[in-house]
Amino acid sequence: FALLIGGATLLYRQLGQNITAERLSTQAAQQEGSNDESETEQKTKAPDFTVYDAEGNEVHLSDYVGKPIVLNFWAHWCGPCQMEMPEFNAAYERLGGEVTFLMVHEGAAVDDGKAKVTEGGYTFPVVFDVDSSAGNLYGITAFPTTFFIDKDGNLQAYYMGAMDADLLQQGIDLIYTAE
């Protein structure tokens, strides 16, 4: 059983490494749907939602418009979510002043989510979607899922699955250019 899990984890990581920024962009276009307008002219606003911080205060996605946003939906029981968290934390520590990282823990088990963050020593902001309304709004069907939102609040790309550092950086490059 352990050998099977180990093999599946290695395969999952290997397949995830073959994704490019172009694929991220293609996935965003697929989600937006198609019409007669050019994909570059069509902009889709990221839907606003309300979630809660660790103290139970309301947090709205719209509070962060004005900076690029990396929006990640995860769950405490999700192995691939745990695999990518160190990469997100490193990117947050490097770019947190320039890019907003919003890690959305899905589900009512807030204490379990807090414990995973504490256990990992992560410093990125975590909010809690206790009733899964934000996850439902974004059509989350798998964990982890990450969205890349530009400073104007437009969805640029998304990716379902664990991201490595290179793929995460490719997504960030779509929404952020150091000035």
Side-chain angles (χ1 to χ4, degrees):
F1 181 72
L3 191 58
L4 176 65
I5 296 299
T9 300
L10 287 174
L11 181 60
Y12 186 85
R13 283 185 177 175
Q14 183 62 37
L15 290 174
Q17 291 175 357
N18 295 327
I19 305 303
T20 64
E22 184 176 282
R23 172 105 182 251
L24 286 169
S25 203
T26 299
Q27 288 180 334
Q30 289 172 353
Q31 178 189 8
E32 293 169 5
S34 61
N35 61 24
D36 294 336
E37 293 180 33
S38 139
E39 289 297 330
T40 58
E41 293 176 13
Q42 180 182 359
K43 296 188 189 259
T44 301
K45 286 288 184 195
D48 197 12
F49 56 75
T50 302
V51 291
Y52 300 91
D53 66 17
E55 290 78 39
N57 301 309
E58 285 189 0
V59 174
H60 308 273
L61 180 64
S62 58
D63 296 340
Y64 299 97
V65 172
K67 275 189 189 179
I69 302 167
V70 175
L71 175 65
N72 177 268
F73 289 89
W74 66 283
H76 65 274
W77 46 262
C78 167
C81 299
Q82 301 308 309
M83 287 184 342
E84 73 177 6
M85 284 186 153
E87 307 300 345
F88 277 82
N89 200 65
Y92 168 72
E93 288 181 352
R94 186 172 30 78
L95 296 170
E98 303 297 322
V99 176
T100 298
F101 286 77
L102 202 55
M103 307 295 283
V104 181
H105 178 265
E106 284 293 302
V110 172
D111 289 339
D112 291 335
K114 288 179 184 178
K116 283 291 183 189
V117 171
T118 300
E119 175 184 307
Y122 304 124
T123 58
F124 48 61
V126 177
V127 293
F128 300 91
D129 186 16
V130 296
D131 61 1
S132 297
S133 59
N136 290 336
L137 183 63
Y138 276 74
I140 302 302
T141 58
F143 295 107
T145 298
T146 304
F147 291 84
F148 297 91
I149 303 168
D150 68 22
K151 65 182 177 67
D152 298 319
N154 298 308
L155 290 169
Q156 294 298 317
Y158 80 97
Y159 182 74
M160 290 191 311
M163 302 181 85
D164 64 15
D166 291 336
L167 183 58
L168 177 58
Q169 187 59 52
Q170 290 172 9
I172 291 169
D173 289 346
L174 291 173
I175 60 172
Y176 173 71
T177 304
E179 297 174 7

